[in-house]
PDB file of all heavy atoms in Angstrom:
ATOM      1  N   ASN A 272       4.012   8.822   0.508  1.00 97.00           N
ATOM      2  CA  ASN A 272       4.862   8.767  -0.682  1.00 97.00           C
ATOM      3  C   ASN A 272       5.827   7.577  -0.684  1.00 97.00           C
ATOM      4  O   ASN A 272       6.844   7.604  -1.383  1.00 97.00           O
ATOM      5  CB  ASN A 272       5.665  10.061  -0.859  1.00 97.00           C
ATOM      6  CG  ASN A 272       4.789  11.254  -1.166  1.00 97.00           C
ATOM      7  OD1 ASN A 272       3.753  11.116  -1.824  1.00 97.00           O
ATOM      8  ND2 ASN A 272       5.170  12.421  -0.673  1.00 97.00           N
ATOM      9  N   TYR A 291      -0.321  -4.248   9.120  1.00 96.00           N
ATOM     10  CA  TYR A 291      -0.902  -5.596   9.071  1.00 96.00           C
ATOM     11  C   TYR A 291      -0.674  -6.194   7.691  1.00 96.00           C
ATOM     12  O   TYR A 291      -0.956  -5.558   6.667  1.00 96.00           O
ATOM     13  CB  TYR A 291      -2.402  -5.549   9.350  1.00 96.00           C
ATOM     14  CG  TYR A 291      -2.760  -5.141  10.757  1.00 96.00           C
ATOM     15  CD1 TYR A 291      -2.988  -3.801  11.070  1.00 96.00           C
ATOM     16  CD2 TYR A 291      -2.885  -6.083  11.773  1.00 96.00           C
ATOM     17  CE1 TYR A 291      -3.326  -3.410  12.369  1.00 96.00           C
ATOM     18  CE2 TYR A 291      -3.224  -5.708  13.066  1.00 96.00           C
ATOM     19  CZ  TYR A 291      -3.434  -4.378  13.354  1.00 96.00           C
ATOM     20  OH  TYR A 291      -3.764  -3.994  14.636  1.00 96.00           O
ATOM     21  N   LEU A 330      11.247   4.314  13.164  1.00 98.00           N
ATOM     22  CA  LEU A 330      10.578   3.072  13.520  1.00 98.00           C
ATOM     23  C   LEU A 330      10.747   2.808  15.012  1.00 98.00           C
ATOM     24  O   LEU A 330      11.606   3.387  15.675  1.00 98.00           O
ATOM     25  CB  LEU A 330      11.163   1.896  12.738  1.00 98.00           C
ATOM     26  CG  LEU A 330      10.996   1.897  11.216  1.00 98.00           C
ATOM     27  CD1 LEU A 330      11.891   0.841  10.595  1.00 98.00           C
ATOM     28  CD2 LEU A 330       9.541   1.656  10.835  1.00 98.00           C
ATOM     29  N   ARG A 331       9.948   1.913  15.503  1.00 97.00           N
ATOM     30  CA  ARG A 331      10.087   1.427  16.867  1.00 97.00           C
ATOM     31  C   ARG A 331       9.722  -0.049  16.875  1.00 97.00           C
ATOM     32  O   ARG A 331       8.811  -0.467  16.154  1.00 97.00           O
ATOM     33  CB  ARG A 331       9.152   2.202  17.808  1.00 97.00           C
ATOM     34  CG  ARG A 331       9.327   1.848  19.285  1.00 97.00           C
ATOM     35  CD  ARG A 331       8.366   2.653  20.150  1.00 97.00           C
ATOM     36  NE  ARG A 331       6.980   2.294  19.889  1.00 97.00           N
ATOM     37  CZ  ARG A 331       6.391   1.198  20.380  1.00 97.00           C
ATOM     38  NH1 ARG A 331       7.070   0.344  21.121  1.00 97.00           N
ATOM     39  NH2 ARG A 331       5.131   0.939  20.093  1.00 97.00           N
ATOM     40  N   GLU A 337      14.537 -11.830  20.171  1.00 88.00           N
ATOM     41  CA  GLU A 337      15.672 -11.686  19.273  1.00 88.00           C
ATOM     42  C   GLU A 337      15.862 -10.221  18.886  1.00 88.00           C
ATOM     43  O   GLU A 337      14.930  -9.419  18.949  1.00 88.00           O
ATOM     44  CB  GLU A 337      15.466 -12.533  18.008  1.00 88.00           C
ATOM     45  CG  GLU A 337      15.350 -14.025  18.284  1.00 88.00           C
ATOM     46  CD  GLU A 337      15.028 -14.819  17.032  1.00 88.00           C
ATOM     47  OE1 GLU A 337      14.098 -14.435  16.320  1.00 88.00           O
ATOM     48  OE2 GLU A 337      15.717 -15.820  16.790  1.00 88.00           O
ATOM     49  N   ALA A 341      16.687  -4.030  10.826  1.00 97.00           N
ATOM     50  CA  ALA A 341      16.242  -3.682   9.473  1.00 97.00           C
ATOM     51  C   ALA A 341      17.437  -3.796   8.533  1.00 97.00           C
ATOM     52  O   ALA A 341      18.539  -3.341   8.860  1.00 97.00           O
ATOM     53  CB  ALA A 341      15.677  -2.272   9.446  1.00 97.00           C
ATOM     54  N   PHE A 345      19.524  -1.408  -1.960  1.00 98.00           N
ATOM     55  CA  PHE A 345      19.312  -0.463  -3.044  1.00 98.00           C
ATOM     56  C   PHE A 345      18.973  -1.302  -4.267  1.00 98.00           C
ATOM     57  O   PHE A 345      19.857  -1.873  -4.907  1.00 98.00           O
ATOM     58  CB  PHE A 345      20.552   0.408  -3.264  1.00 98.00           C
ATOM     59  CG  PHE A 345      20.866   1.292  -2.087  1.00 98.00           C
ATOM     60  CD1 PHE A 345      21.752   0.876  -1.105  1.00 98.00           C
ATOM     61  CD2 PHE A 345      20.245   2.518  -1.942  1.00 98.00           C
ATOM     62  CE1 PHE A 345      22.029   1.670  -0.009  1.00 98.00           C
ATOM     63  CE2 PHE A 345      20.510   3.334  -0.851  1.00 98.00           C
ATOM     64  CZ  PHE A 345      21.402   2.912   0.119  1.00 98.00           C
ATOM     65  N   SER A 356      22.581  -2.386   7.704  1.00 95.00           N
ATOM     66  CA  SER A 356      21.597  -2.850   8.680  1.00 95.00           C
ATOM     67  C   SER A 356      21.543  -1.875   9.851  1.00 95.00           C
ATOM     68  O   SER A 356      22.539  -1.219  10.178  1.00 95.00           O
ATOM     69  CB  SER A 356      21.962  -4.252   9.184  1.00 95.00           C
ATOM     70  OG  SER A 356      23.225  -4.236   9.824  1.00 95.00           O
ATOM     71  N   GLU A 362      12.628   2.167  21.730  1.00 96.00           N
ATOM     72  CA  GLU A 362      12.355   3.596  21.646  1.00 96.00           C
ATOM     73  C   GLU A 362      12.509   4.039  20.192  1.00 96.00           C
ATOM     74  O   GLU A 362      12.952   3.268  19.344  1.00 96.00           O
ATOM     75  CB  GLU A 362      13.280   4.388  22.562  1.00 96.00           C
ATOM     76  CG  GLU A 362      14.757   4.188  22.306  1.00 96.00           C
ATOM     77  CD  GLU A 362      15.363   3.136  23.204  1.00 96.00           C
ATOM     78  OE1 GLU A 362      14.628   2.285  23.719  1.00 96.00           O
ATOM     79  OE2 GLU A 362      16.602   3.155  23.370  1.00 96.00           O
ATOM     80  N   ARG A 365      16.116   6.045  14.492  1.00 97.00           N
ATOM     81  CA  ARG A 365      16.332   6.733  13.212  1.00 97.00           C
ATOM     82  C   ARG A 365      17.070   5.794  12.258  1.00 97.00           C
ATOM     83  O   ARG A 365      18.144   5.293  12.580  1.00 97.00           O
ATOM     84  CB  ARG A 365      17.171   7.997  13.395  1.00 97.00           C
ATOM     85  CG  ARG A 365      16.550   9.048  14.281  1.00 97.00           C
ATOM     86  CD  ARG A 365      17.529  10.198  14.528  1.00 97.00           C
ATOM     87  NE  ARG A 365      17.602  11.102  13.377  1.00 97.00           N
ATOM     88  CZ  ARG A 365      18.631  11.176  12.545  1.00 97.00           C
ATOM     89  NH1 ARG A 365      19.670  10.362  12.694  1.00 97.00           N
ATOM     90  NH2 ARG A 365      18.619  12.050  11.544  1.00 97.00           N
ATOM     91  N   THR A 369      21.239   7.387   2.820  1.00 95.00           N
ATOM     92  CA  THR A 369      21.799   8.391   1.908  1.00 95.00           C
ATOM     93  C   THR A 369      21.945   7.796   0.512  1.00 95.00           C
ATOM     94  O   THR A 369      22.119   6.585   0.344  1.00 95.00           O
ATOM     95  CB  THR A 369      23.174   8.880   2.399  1.00 95.00           C
ATOM     96  OG1 THR A 369      24.054   7.760   2.500  1.00 95.00           O
ATOM     97  CG2 THR A 369      23.049   9.540   3.768  1.00 95.00           C
ATOM     98  N   LYS A 378      23.695   1.014 -11.469  1.00 97.00           N
ATOM     99  CA  LYS A 378      22.765   0.938 -12.608  1.00 97.00           C
ATOM    100  C   LYS A 378      23.374   0.135 -13.752  1.00 97.00           C
ATOM    101  O   LYS A 378      22.690  -0.674 -14.391  1.00 97.00           O
ATOM    102  CB  LYS A 378      22.414   2.351 -13.080  1.00 97.00           C
ATOM    103  CG  LYS A 378      21.452   3.101 -12.171  1.00 97.00           C
ATOM    104  CD  LYS A 378      21.035   4.414 -12.807  1.00 97.00           C
ATOM    105  CE  LYS A 378      19.949   5.083 -11.992  1.00 97.00           C
ATOM    106  NZ  LYS A 378      19.480   6.343 -12.610  1.00 97.00           N
ATOM    107  N   VAL A 407       8.586   9.746   8.409  1.00 97.00           N
ATOM    108  CA  VAL A 407       9.751   9.878   7.539  1.00 97.00           C
ATOM    109  C   VAL A 407      10.087  11.352   7.387  1.00 97.00           C
ATOM    110  O   VAL A 407       9.201  12.207   7.365  1.00 97.00           O
ATOM    111  CB  VAL A 407       9.489   9.226   6.162  1.00 97.00           C
ATOM    112  CG1 VAL A 407       8.332   9.893   5.440  1.00 97.00           C
ATOM    113  CG2 VAL A 407      10.749   9.226   5.301  1.00 97.00           C
ATOM    114  N   ASP A 418      10.091   0.032 -11.880  1.00 98.00           N
ATOM    115  CA  ASP A 418      11.236  -0.079 -10.978  1.00 98.00           C
ATOM    116  C   ASP A 418      11.313  -1.455 -10.305  1.00 98.00           C
ATOM    117  O   ASP A 418      12.309  -1.761  -9.642  1.00 98.00           O
ATOM    118  CB  ASP A 418      11.160   0.990  -9.885  1.00 98.00           C
ATOM    119  CG  ASP A 418      11.334   2.400 -10.424  1.00 98.00           C
ATOM    120  OD1 ASP A 418      12.189   2.585 -11.304  1.00 98.00           O
ATOM    121  OD2 ASP A 418      10.626   3.307  -9.958  1.00 98.00           O
ATOM    122  N   TYR A 424       5.896 -13.505  -6.515  1.00 98.00           N
ATOM    123  CA  TYR A 424       5.714 -14.809  -5.875  1.00 98.00           C
ATOM    124  C   TYR A 424       5.119 -14.591  -4.492  1.00 98.00           C
ATOM    125  O   TYR A 424       5.648 -13.828  -3.696  1.00 98.00           O
ATOM    126  CB  TYR A 424       7.075 -15.510  -5.821  1.00 98.00           C
ATOM    127  CG  TYR A 424       7.261 -16.591  -4.781  1.00 98.00           C
ATOM    128  CD1 TYR A 424       6.292 -17.563  -4.560  1.00 98.00           C
ATOM    129  CD2 TYR A 424       8.442 -16.665  -4.040  1.00 98.00           C
ATOM    130  CE1 TYR A 424       6.489 -18.567  -3.614  1.00 98.00           C
ATOM    131  CE2 TYR A 424       8.655 -17.669  -3.104  1.00 98.00           C
ATOM    132  CZ  TYR A 424       7.667 -18.608  -2.888  1.00 98.00           C
ATOM    133  OH  TYR A 424       7.855 -19.600  -1.956  1.00 98.00           O
ATOM    134  N   HIS A 433       7.388 -18.037   7.460  1.00 94.00           N
ATOM    135  CA  HIS A 433       7.402 -16.717   8.092  1.00 94.00           C
ATOM    136  C   HIS A 433       8.822 -16.214   8.295  1.00 94.00           C
ATOM    137  O   HIS A 433       9.099 -15.025   8.156  1.00 94.00           O
ATOM    138  CB  HIS A 433       6.672 -16.846   9.431  1.00 94.00           C
ATOM    139  CG  HIS A 433       6.238 -15.564  10.038  1.00 94.00           C
ATOM    140  ND1 HIS A 433       5.180 -15.481  10.905  1.00 94.00           N
ATOM    141  CD2 HIS A 433       6.712 -14.305   9.945  1.00 94.00           C
ATOM    142  CE1 HIS A 433       5.013 -14.239  11.305  1.00 94.00           C
ATOM    143  NE2 HIS A 433       5.937 -13.513  10.737  1.00 94.00           N
ATOM    144  N   LEU A 438      17.320 -15.896  10.967  1.00 90.00           N
ATOM    145  CA  LEU A 438      18.236 -14.955  11.607  1.00 90.00           C
ATOM    146  C   LEU A 438      18.247 -13.583  10.952  1.00 90.00           C
ATOM    147  O   LEU A 438      18.507 -12.574  11.608  1.00 90.00           O
ATOM    148  CB  LEU A 438      19.664 -15.511  11.678  1.00 90.00           C
ATOM    149  CG  LEU A 438      19.821 -16.839  12.443  1.00 90.00           C
ATOM    150  CD1 LEU A 438      21.307 -17.206  12.530  1.00 90.00           C
ATOM    151  CD2 LEU A 438      19.217 -16.760  13.839  1.00 90.00           C
ATOM    152  N   TYR A 442      17.121 -13.841   4.451  1.00 96.00           N
ATOM    153  CA  TYR A 442      17.491 -15.240   4.312  1.00 96.00           C
ATOM    154  C   TYR A 442      16.322 -16.187   4.537  1.00 96.00           C
ATOM    155  O   TYR A 442      16.518 -17.396   4.646  1.00 96.00           O
ATOM    156  CB  TYR A 442      18.683 -15.565   5.224  1.00 96.00           C
ATOM    157  CG  TYR A 442      19.915 -14.904   4.675  1.00 96.00           C
ATOM    158  CD1 TYR A 442      20.303 -13.655   5.135  1.00 96.00           C
ATOM    159  CD2 TYR A 442      20.616 -15.473   3.626  1.00 96.00           C
ATOM    160  CE1 TYR A 442      21.392 -13.001   4.586  1.00 96.00           C
ATOM    161  CE2 TYR A 442      21.709 -14.834   3.073  1.00 96.00           C
ATOM    162  CZ  TYR A 442      22.093 -13.600   3.550  1.00 96.00           C
ATOM    163  OH  TYR A 442      23.159 -12.949   2.985  1.00 96.00           O
ATOM    164  N   LYS A 450      14.611 -13.969  -5.215  1.00 97.00           N
ATOM    165  CA  LYS A 450      15.854 -13.413  -5.758  1.00 97.00           C
ATOM    166  C   LYS A 450      16.419 -14.312  -6.848  1.00 97.00           C
ATOM    167  O   LYS A 450      16.858 -13.835  -7.902  1.00 97.00           O
ATOM    168  CB  LYS A 450      16.868 -13.240  -4.622  1.00 97.00           C
ATOM    169  CG  LYS A 450      18.140 -12.520  -5.031  1.00 97.00           C
ATOM    170  CD  LYS A 450      19.028 -12.259  -3.827  1.00 97.00           C
ATOM    171  CE  LYS A 450      20.281 -11.487  -4.223  1.00 97.00           C
ATOM    172  NZ  LYS A 450      21.149 -11.195  -3.054  1.00 97.00           N
ATOM    173  N   ASP A 455       9.550 -10.478  -7.592  1.00 98.00           N
ATOM    174  CA  ASP A 455       9.243  -9.893  -6.299  1.00 98.00           C
ATOM    175  C   ASP A 455       8.596 -10.974  -5.443  1.00 98.00           C
ATOM    176  O   ASP A 455       8.337 -12.084  -5.921  1.00 98.00           O
ATOM    177  CB  ASP A 455       8.307  -8.696  -6.473  1.00 98.00           C
ATOM    178  CG  ASP A 455       8.499  -7.641  -5.382  1.00 98.00           C
ATOM    179  OD1 ASP A 455       9.027  -7.971  -4.303  1.00 98.00           O
ATOM    180  OD2 ASP A 455       8.093  -6.475  -5.606  1.00 98.00           O
ATOM    181  N   ASN A 491       1.543 -26.645  11.600  1.00 97.00           N
ATOM    182  CA  ASN A 491       0.810 -25.889  12.616  1.00 97.00           C
ATOM    183  C   ASN A 491      -0.496 -26.551  13.043  1.00 97.00           C
ATOM    184  O   ASN A 491      -1.172 -26.067  13.959  1.00 97.00           O
ATOM    185  CB  ASN A 491       0.502 -24.471  12.123  1.00 97.00           C
ATOM    186  CG  ASN A 491       1.685 -23.540  12.170  1.00 97.00           C
ATOM    187  OD1 ASN A 491       1.703 -22.518  11.501  1.00 97.00           O
ATOM    188  ND2 ASN A 491       2.708 -23.887  12.947  1.00 97.00           N
ATOM    189  N   PHE A 508      -9.752 -26.241   1.192  1.00 98.00           N
ATOM    190  CA  PHE A 508      -8.747 -25.220   0.867  1.00 98.00           C
ATOM    191  C   PHE A 508      -8.274 -25.357  -0.573  1.00 98.00           C
ATOM    192  O   PHE A 508      -8.251 -24.391  -1.340  1.00 98.00           O
ATOM    193  CB  PHE A 508      -7.574 -25.356   1.839  1.00 98.00           C
ATOM    194  CG  PHE A 508      -6.631 -24.195   1.877  1.00 98.00           C
ATOM    195  CD1 PHE A 508      -6.945 -23.049   2.578  1.00 98.00           C
ATOM    196  CD2 PHE A 508      -5.389 -24.263   1.242  1.00 98.00           C
ATOM    197  CE1 PHE A 508      -6.059 -21.976   2.642  1.00 98.00           C
ATOM    198  CE2 PHE A 508      -4.501 -23.199   1.298  1.00 98.00           C
ATOM    199  CZ  PHE A 508      -4.831 -22.060   2.006  1.00 98.00           C
ATOM    200  N   VAL A 519       0.381 -23.015  -8.680  1.00 98.00           N
ATOM    201  CA  VAL A 519       0.432 -23.196  -7.233  1.00 98.00           C
ATOM    202  C   VAL A 519       1.385 -24.347  -6.924  1.00 98.00           C
ATOM    203  O   VAL A 519       1.225 -25.459  -7.433  1.00 98.00           O
ATOM    204  CB  VAL A 519      -0.972 -23.502  -6.653  1.00 98.00           C
ATOM    205  CG1 VAL A 519      -0.885 -23.756  -5.151  1.00 98.00           C
ATOM    206  CG2 VAL A 519      -1.934 -22.350  -6.937  1.00 98.00           C
ATOM    207  N   VAL A 521       2.971 -26.712  -3.930  1.00 98.00           N
ATOM    208  CA  VAL A 521       2.547 -27.172  -2.607  1.00 98.00           C
ATOM    209  C   VAL A 521       3.588 -28.111  -2.014  1.00 98.00           C
ATOM    210  O   VAL A 521       4.155 -28.952  -2.721  1.00 98.00           O
ATOM    211  CB  VAL A 521       1.191 -27.911  -2.690  1.00 98.00           C
ATOM    212  CG1 VAL A 521       0.739 -28.365  -1.302  1.00 98.00           C
ATOM    213  CG2 VAL A 521       0.131 -27.021  -3.325  1.00 98.00           C
ATOM    214  N   ILE A 541      -2.227 -37.145   3.182  1.00 98.00           N
ATOM    215  CA  ILE A 541      -3.487 -36.433   2.911  1.00 98.00           C
ATOM    216  C   ILE A 541      -3.253 -35.282   1.935  1.00 98.00           C
ATOM    217  O   ILE A 541      -4.038 -35.083   0.993  1.00 98.00           O
ATOM    218  CB  ILE A 541      -4.094 -35.913   4.232  1.00 98.00           C
ATOM    219  CG1 ILE A 541      -4.625 -37.096   5.056  1.00 98.00           C
ATOM    220  CG2 ILE A 541      -5.207 -34.904   3.965  1.00 98.00           C
ATOM    221  CD1 ILE A 541      -4.996 -36.725   6.479  1.00 98.00           C
ATOM    222  N   TYR A 545      -5.184 -35.105  -2.019  1.00 97.00           N
ATOM    223  CA  TYR A 545      -6.159 -34.130  -2.507  1.00 97.00           C
ATOM    224  C   TYR A 545      -5.547 -33.070  -3.418  1.00 97.00           C
ATOM    225  O   TYR A 545      -6.171 -32.055  -3.683  1.00 97.00           O
ATOM    226  CB  TYR A 545      -6.869 -33.466  -1.325  1.00 97.00           C
ATOM    227  CG  TYR A 545      -7.803 -34.431  -0.628  1.00 97.00           C
ATOM    228  CD1 TYR A 545      -7.414 -35.070   0.540  1.00 97.00           C
ATOM    229  CD2 TYR A 545      -9.053 -34.740  -1.167  1.00 97.00           C
ATOM    230  CE1 TYR A 545      -8.253 -35.983   1.166  1.00 97.00           C
ATOM    231  CE2 TYR A 545      -9.896 -35.643  -0.558  1.00 97.00           C
ATOM    232  CZ  TYR A 545      -9.493 -36.267   0.612  1.00 97.00           C
ATOM    233  OH  TYR A 545     -10.327 -37.175   1.223  1.00 97.00           O
ATOM    234  N   PHE A 552       3.124 -30.552  -6.765  1.00 98.00           N
ATOM    235  CA  PHE A 552       3.366 -31.037  -5.408  1.00 98.00           C
ATOM    236  C   PHE A 552       4.789 -31.548  -5.247  1.00 98.00           C
ATOM    237  O   PHE A 552       5.305 -32.275  -6.098  1.00 98.00           O
ATOM    238  CB  PHE A 552       2.393 -32.168  -5.071  1.00 98.00           C
ATOM    239  CG  PHE A 552       2.646 -32.796  -3.729  1.00 98.00           C
ATOM    240  CD1 PHE A 552       2.401 -32.093  -2.563  1.00 98.00           C
ATOM    241  CD2 PHE A 552       3.145 -34.089  -3.637  1.00 98.00           C
ATOM    242  CE1 PHE A 552       2.642 -32.676  -1.315  1.00 98.00           C
ATOM    243  CE2 PHE A 552       3.393 -34.679  -2.401  1.00 98.00           C
ATOM    244  CZ  PHE A 552       3.136 -33.965  -1.241  1.00 98.00           C
ATOM    245  N   HIS A 571      12.202 -26.387  13.637  1.00 96.00           N
ATOM    246  CA  HIS A 571      12.538 -25.390  12.623  1.00 96.00           C
ATOM    247  C   HIS A 571      13.874 -25.697  11.952  1.00 96.00           C
ATOM    248  O   HIS A 571      14.836 -26.075  12.627  1.00 96.00           O
ATOM    249  CB  HIS A 571      12.601 -23.992  13.247  1.00 96.00           C
ATOM    250  CG  HIS A 571      11.283 -23.508  13.745  1.00 96.00           C
ATOM    251  ND1 HIS A 571      10.849 -23.739  15.031  1.00 96.00           N
ATOM    252  CD2 HIS A 571      10.290 -22.822  13.121  1.00 96.00           C
ATOM    253  CE1 HIS A 571       9.650 -23.208  15.189  1.00 96.00           C
ATOM    254  NE2 HIS A 571       9.283 -22.654  14.047  1.00 96.00           N
ATOM    255  N   MET A 588      10.324 -25.014  -9.032  1.00 98.00           N
ATOM    256  CA  MET A 588       9.557 -23.887  -9.568  1.00 98.00           C
ATOM    257  C   MET A 588      10.103 -23.437 -10.913  1.00 98.00           C
ATOM    258  O   MET A 588       9.346 -23.191 -11.864  1.00 98.00           O
ATOM    259  CB  MET A 588       9.581 -22.727  -8.576  1.00 98.00           C
ATOM    260  CG  MET A 588       8.859 -23.005  -7.260  1.00 98.00           C
ATOM    261  SD  MET A 588       8.994 -21.582  -6.140  1.00 98.00           S
ATOM    262  CE  MET A 588       8.192 -22.247  -4.652  1.00 98.00           C
TER     263      MET A 588
END
Side-chain angles (χ1 to χ4, degrees):
N272 294 327
Y291 293 92
L330 296 167
R331 186 180 66 79
E337 298 175 311
F345 296 93
S356 61
E362 57 265 22
R365 298 174 78 253
T369 58
K378 285 187 173 182
V407 61
D418 293 319
Y424 157 45
H433 197 154
L438 301 185
Y442 289 94
K450 187 174 182 179
D455 210 339
N491 283 160
F508 195 79
V519 177
V521 181
I541 289 169
Y545 289 100
F552 175 69
H571 294 90
M588 294 178 185

